[in-house]
Amino acid sequence: MACFLVPMGEAIVTTVVQKVVEKKERGAQGGTSPAGLTWGRKLGWLNRLLWGGVLLLAFEHWWHGEIVPWPPFLTAMANPADVGPMFYEMATIGTGMAVLVTVVWLVMVVIAERKAASAVRLGTDA
């Protein structure tokens, strides 16, 4: 129905945060970890994960006729009886997907930081 709107909302917020963080990092010439990974770059990974998922889900919903190119755009909005189940799906499935993608991103960040720190340590030992 409209579960992809929750990750889309998160993607919009994180995209704005990424732009602000990148602007501050350019101005301060800082914000990098010892291995050179900036928060702007890390947020870019999250944005790619979120926007990629949103595009695939929107295509899937369009394919099944749940999204139409005329208002109200979501077929569930046309019938008031379908609005409640739509919000329930957004609260359960949509939020679950957004949380899962964010957890995967956090694991990616931790692994990348550890690998980069290990590479720096190996470079200084040699």
Side-chain angles (χ1 to χ4, degrees), residues 27-124:
Q29 296 296 325
T32 61
S33 67
L37 294 174
T38 63
W39 273 105
R41 184 173 179 190
K42 294 171 194 171
L43 286 170
W45 299 341
L46 177 60
N47 287 329
R48 284 188 206 103
L49 288 171
L50 288 169
W51 283 116
V54 166
L55 289 175
L56 286 174
L57 283 169
F59 177 77
E60 186 269 337
H61 284 56
W62 170 77
W63 187 265
H64 289 103
E66 296 173 351
I67 299 174
V68 291
W70 53 85
F73 304 110
L74 299 169
T75 55
M77 295 291 288
N79 184 358
D82 292 337
V83 173
M86 181 187 75
F87 283 125
Y88 179 76
E89 182 187 281
M90 289 172 67
T92 56
I93 305 297
T95 303
M97 288 188 302
V99 168
L100 178 64
V101 169
T102 305
V103 168
V104 167
W105 171 72
L106 286 171
V107 171
M108 285 174 54
V109 168
V110 168
I111 291 172
E113 284 286 337
R114 289 187 179 179
K115 287 187 74 91
S118 175
V120 168
R121 199 172 33 245
L122 286 175
T124 57

Side-chain angles (χ1 to χ4, degrees), residues 5-16:
L5 294 178
V6 176
M8 178 187 283
E10 181 182 355
I12 291 169
V13 170
T14 58
T15 299
V16 170

